C-alpha cells in the first residue's frame, strides 16, 4: 500500500485543460457528456481529472477500480451529495438517492415488490399490456404511420409499472391515460442537468423548463396522492390481508410503529419506480429495435426462435417461456453492452481514499465509464463491434469478461428492477417478432445517442407492417 506521500494528488492527474472559473464546461454538451468522457479516456488513460466549474471531477475507466467502487458501496462510496440534494428538492429522494439505513429500509420493500413470485402473479397483467401495445402498433401499421418508438415504449413501461407497483390500470397505450404519464418525461432531464451543474443556478432564477418541472411535480404528486388514498381505502376494507403491491407495502410500513417511514418517502419511492420503470426499460427495448433494423439477419433468427417456442400464440403466455429464449438473450446482451442506457455512473467517496495510486479527497465526484470498459479489446474480443454471437457458449472468443458487463450496475446496489426489466424486454420483443416486419424511417446514421439521465436513441422511428404469411 502506498503512503500518502507517495500518492499522486488529484490536481496532478492528467486531463483536459480548463478555463478559470468554468473549467471545461465550455467544451461539454451534457446531452453527449458520456461521449466526451470516453474520448478523453482514450487520450488521458484509466484515471484522469477534469475541472467542471469550481470543482474537480475524477474519471475512471479501469475495470478493477470500478469493481472495487461498486462492491464497496454504500460503506465507502455513495451517490453524490449534489444528486441527493437535487432529488430532495424535487421530492424524489427515494431508494435511488438515499444512503445508509434509509437506503436499507427502502431497498427491502422495493426488492420484495419485484421478486420472482410477484412477477409470476403479475404475468397475466403484463400479457394484457403487451397485447395493448400490439394493437397500438397494428393500428399504426394499418394507417401506414411511422411509430415513435421511444414514445410508445414509454407508454408501455409506465402501464406495466403502474399495474405492478400501484394496482392502477393506466392504459396509456389505448387512452390518453392519467395526468402522471404526461409529466414524467419532464423530470429526469432536469434531474440530470441539475445534478451535473457547476452551481445551483435554479435557486437564483427560473428558466421555462424549471417552471414546467414545478407544474409536472405538482401534477405527479396529486396523482400519486390519489393512488395513496385509493390504496388506503382498499387496505381499510380488508385489514387482515398482506400488501398486494409496492404502494400497499410502503403504506403498511408507515403504519408500523418505529418503522421510520413517512408519507414523503412514499411519494419519493413511487416517483423513483415510475421514472426508472419508464425510462431505462423503454430505451433498452428501443435500442434493441434499432439493432433489429441494422441487423435483419438477427431479427429473423430471433423470430424463428419465438415462432418455435410460442406458435400459435402471438406473444409470451407464461413466465417460464421468457427464460427459454437464448438467441434473444444473446442479442439483448450485445445491445446492452454496446448501447447501455446507463453508460456511466457517478459516485463520491465518504472519506479520503486511494484510487489507482491517486489520493481522492472525500466528496470528489467520480465518473465510472461502464460502457467504455465493456467495449475495450482487453475485455471483449472486437469490443467495438456489434456481435451477438459472442454470447453463445459454443462461439465465444477470448477475451470475454462478463464481469465488466454491467447494464444494471453491480455490487449491493444492483438495480432491484433487473428481473422486471428483462421480462418486459423479452415480452415486447417476442411480440414484435411474432407479429410485425419493421423497417427504418430514417438512415441509421441519423439516430444518435442522447443523454438525459439515461441514454436514448434520439430520432428513432420505425415503420411496422403486419407480418406477411411465411
Amino acid at each position: 500500500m502506498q503512503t500518502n506521500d507517495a500518492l499522486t494528488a488529484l490536481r496532478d492527474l492528467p486531463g483536459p485543460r480548463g478555463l478559470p472559473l468554468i473549467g471545461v464546461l465550455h467544451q461539454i454538451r451534457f446531452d453527449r457528456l458520456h461521449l466526451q468522457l470516453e474520448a478523453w479516456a482514450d487520450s488521458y488513460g484509466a484515471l484522469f481529472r477534469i475541472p467542471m466549474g469550481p470543482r474537480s471531477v475524477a474519471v475512471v475507466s479501469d475495470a478493477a477500480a470500478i469493481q472495487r467502487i461498486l462492491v464497496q458501496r454504500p460503506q465507502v462510496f455513495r451517490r453524490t451529495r449534489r444528486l441527493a440534494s437535487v432529488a430532495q428538492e424535487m421530492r424524489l429522494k427515494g431508494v435511488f438517492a438515499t444512503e445508509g439505513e434509509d437506503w436499507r429500509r427502502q431497498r427491502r420493500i422495493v426488492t420484495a415488490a419485484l421478486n420472482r413470485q410477484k412477477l409470476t402473479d403479475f404475468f397475466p397483467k403484463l400479457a394484457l399490456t403487451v397485447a395493448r401495445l400490439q394493437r397500438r402498433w397494428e393500428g399504426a401499421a394499418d394507417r401506414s404511420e411511422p411509430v415513435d418508438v421511444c414514445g410508445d415504449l414509454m407508454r408501455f413501461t409506465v402501464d406495466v409499472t403502474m399495474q405492478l407497483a400501484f394496482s392502477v390500470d393506466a392504459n396509456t397505450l389505448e387512452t390518453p391515460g392519467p395526468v402522471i404519464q404526461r409529466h414524467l418525461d419532464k423530470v429526469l432531464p432536469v434531474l440530470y442537468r441539475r445534478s451535473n451543474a457547476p452551481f445551483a443556478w435554479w435557486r437564483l432564477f427560473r428558466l421555462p423548463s424549471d417552471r414546467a418541472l414545478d407544474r409536472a411535480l405538482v401534477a405527479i404528486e396529486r396523482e400519486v396522492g390519489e393512488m395513496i388514498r385509493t390504496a388506503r381505502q382498499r387496505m381499510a376494507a380488508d385489514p387482515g390481508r398482506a400488501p398486494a403491491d409496492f404502494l400497499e407495502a410502503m403504506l403498511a410500513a408507515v403504519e408500523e410503529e418505529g418503522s421510520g417511514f413517512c408519507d414523503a418517502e412514499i411519494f419519493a419511492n413511487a416517483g423513483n419506480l415510475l421514472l426508472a420503470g419508464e425510462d431505462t426499460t423503454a430505451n433498452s427495448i428501443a435500442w434493441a429495435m434499432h439493432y433489429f433494423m441494422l441487423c435483419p439477419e438477427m431479427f429473423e433468427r430471433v423470430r424463428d426462435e419465438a415462432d418455435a417456442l410460442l406458435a400459435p400464440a402471438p406473444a409470451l403466455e407464461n413466465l417460464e417461456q421468457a427464460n427459454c429464449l437464448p438467441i434473444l438473450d444473446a442479442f439483448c446482451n450485445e445491445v446492452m453492452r454496446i448501447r447501455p442506457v446507463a453508460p456511466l455512473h457517478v459516485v463520491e467517496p465518504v472519506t479520503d481514499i486511494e484510487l489507482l495510486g491517486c489520493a481522492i479527497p472525500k466528496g470528489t465526484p467520480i465518473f465510472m465509464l461502464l460502457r467504455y470498459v465493456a467495449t475495450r479489446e482487453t475485455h471483449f474480443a472486437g469490443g467495438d463491434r456489434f456481435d451477438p454471437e459472442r454470447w453463445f457458449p459454443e462461439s465465444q472468443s477470448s477475451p470475454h469478461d462478463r464481469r465488466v458487463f454491467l447494464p444494471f450496475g453491480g455490487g449491493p446496489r444492483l438495480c432491484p428492477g433487473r428481473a422486471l426489466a428483462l421480462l418486459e424486454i423479452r415480452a415486447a420483443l417476442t411480440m414484435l417478432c411474432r407479429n410485425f416486419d419493421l423497417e427504418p424511417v430514417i438512415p441509421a446514421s441519423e439516430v444518435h445517442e442522447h443523454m438525459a439521465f439515461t441514454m436514448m436513441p434520439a430520432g428513432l422511428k420505425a415503420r411496422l407492417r403486419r407480418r406477411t404469411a411465411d
Side-chain angles (χ1 to χ4, degrees):
M1 178 72 178
Q2 291 173 285
T3 66
N4 286 340
D5 291 341
L7 296 177
T8 302
L10 177 64
R11 65 178 178 274
D12 294 330
L13 284 176
R17 296 177 64 85
L19 297 176
L21 298 179
I22 66 170
V24 297
L25 291 175
H26 64 297
Q27 301 181 48
I28 291 176
R29 278 180 48 187
F30 281 96
D31 61 343
R32 297 172 61 82
L33 173 62
H34 62 299
L35 296 173
Q36 181 66 76
L37 295 180
E38 290 172 352
W40 279 333
D42 284 338
S43 299
Y44 300 114
L47 181 65
F48 62 95
R49 165 190 170 272
I50 56 174
M52 293 184 69
R55 59 180 176 167
S56 288
V57 171
V59 184
V60 61
S61 59
D62 176 81
I66 288 174
Q67 286 287 350
R68 170 192 162 193
I69 291 170
L70 294 174
V71 169
Q72 291 183 337
R73 294 176 67 197
Q75 290 81 11
V76 181
F77 298 91
R78 52 163 291 165
R79 295 198 190 276
T80 64
R81 287 167 293 176
R82 167 61 63 80
L83 175 61
S85 173
V86 170
Q88 182 74 49
E89 285 183 340
M90 296 169 66
R91 305 187 293 285
L92 292 171
K93 194 180 178 184
V95 68
F96 177 77
T98 54
E99 299 292 335
E101 187 54 36
D102 285 344
W103 169 74
R104 292 182 181 89
R105 287 187 297 108
Q106 297 177 38
R107 169 85 177 201
R108 283 194 293 270
I109 291 180
V110 173
T111 301
L114 299 173
N115 65 28
R116 181 176 175 81
Q117 185 55 54
K118 286 287 195 302
L119 295 184
T120 300
D121 297 340
F122 176 70
F123 189 87
K125 293 180 180 178
L126 172 63
L128 174 65
T129 307
V130 171
R132 289 170 173 169
L133 178 62
Q134 179 181 337
R135 289 195 293 271
R136 182 179 181 90
W137 283 351
E138 286 172 344
D142 293 344
R143 295 188 299 272
S144 298
E145 293 177 355
V147 166
D148 175 3
V149 174
C150 291
D152 281 2
L153 291 172
M154 286 182 181
R155 288 174 175 269
F156 168 68
T157 53
V158 164
D159 285 358
V160 170
T161 303
M162 291 187 73
Q163 279 272 26
L164 178 62
F166 313 120
S167 299
V168 172
D169 186 8
N171 194 13
T172 66
L173 286 163
E174 297 181 314
T175 71
V179 172
I180 196 168
Q181 193 276 334
R182 299 196 293 276
H183 290 281
L184 287 172
D185 61 355
K186 298 178 177 65
V187 176
L188 280 183
V190 176
L191 180 62
Y192 172 67
R193 187 170 67 247
R194 289 183 179 181
S195 62
N196 286 297
F199 63 93
W201 48 263
W202 59 92
R203 296 171 187 165
L204 303 175
F205 56 90
R206 313 286 285 178
L207 298 176
S209 60
D210 298 307
R211 292 191 289 272
L213 172 71
D214 292 340
R215 293 191 294 271
L217 289 173
V218 168
I220 293 170
E221 196 164 27
R222 185 185 306 119
E223 195 77 24
V224 171
E226 182 58 37
M227 287 188 248
I228 290 172
R229 284 190 289 275
T230 301
R232 281 187 164 137
Q233 290 170 359
R234 291 196 306 266
M235 295 170 73
D238 189 3
R241 66 175 175 81
D245 54 37
F246 163 80
L247 183 55
E248 290 188 6
M250 288 289 292
L251 290 170
V254 168
E255 298 301 321
E256 184 180 332
E257 186 175 352
S259 71
F261 278 95
C262 62
D263 283 354
E265 288 178 325
I266 295 177
F267 173 74
N269 280 292
N272 283 189
L273 274 182
L274 283 166
L275 291 165
E278 177 201 43
D279 219 58
T280 56
T281 306
N283 288 331
S284 293
I285 301 171
W287 280 118
M289 291 178 65
H290 176 61
Y291 275 91
F292 271 152
M293 290 183 282
L294 287 176
C295 307
E297 69 283 358
M298 281 305 304
F299 179 81
E300 292 299 329
R301 289 183 66 183
V302 173
R303 168 177 281 178
D304 290 344
E305 178 179 63
D307 288 348
L309 179 67
L310 305 180
L316 292 177
E317 295 184 298
N318 54 64
L319 192 62
E320 288 68 32
Q321 289 177 332
N323 297 318
C324 299
L325 296 159
I327 298 175
L328 176 60
D329 286 348
F331 172 78
C332 290
N333 280 350
E334 188 67 350
V335 172
M336 290 188 290
R337 187 185 70 85
I338 292 285
R339 306 280 193 172
V341 295
L344 57 84
H345 286 188
V346 190
V347 297
E348 65 181 46
V350 300
T351 187
D352 295 347
I353 61 152
E354 175 274 332
L355 188 67
L356 297 179
C358 178
I360 306 291
K362 171 185 176 180
T364 301
I366 302 173
F367 284 79
M368 298 181 286
L369 304 186
L370 304 188
R371 194 259 296 270
Y372 184 88
V373 174
T375 52
R376 296 307 92 192
E377 195 75 27
T378 51
H379 300 296
F380 283 97
D384 60 353
R385 184 179 71 249
F386 182 79
D387 180 16
E389 296 283 344
R390 73 173 75 248
W391 295 96
F392 298 127
E394 66 275 9
S395 60
Q396 276 181 8
S397 53
S398 183
H400 183 89
D401 189 356
R402 291 191 67 125
R403 293 173 299 176
V404 303
F405 174 62
L406 301 166
F408 296 97
R413 296 197 70 148
L414 178 74
C415 175
R418 176 180 179 275
L420 174 62
L422 291 174
L423 180 58
E424 290 180 79
I425 290 168
R426 291 162 178 157
L429 293 178
T430 50
M431 179 276 288
L432 171 72
C433 293
R434 286 279 295 137
N435 297 279
F436 298 97
D437 297 316
L438 75 164
E439 61 186 40
V441 173
I442 63 174
S445 59
E446 295 183 20
V447 177
H448 61 274
E449 298 178 358
H450 178 90
M451 276 291 289
F453 208 87
T454 59
M455 188 181 81
M456 66 181 294
L460 180 62
K461 291 184 181 293
R463 195 174 303 279
L464 302 183
R465 305 187 190 282
R466 289 183 185 249
R467 182 179 178 182
T468 55
D470 293 332

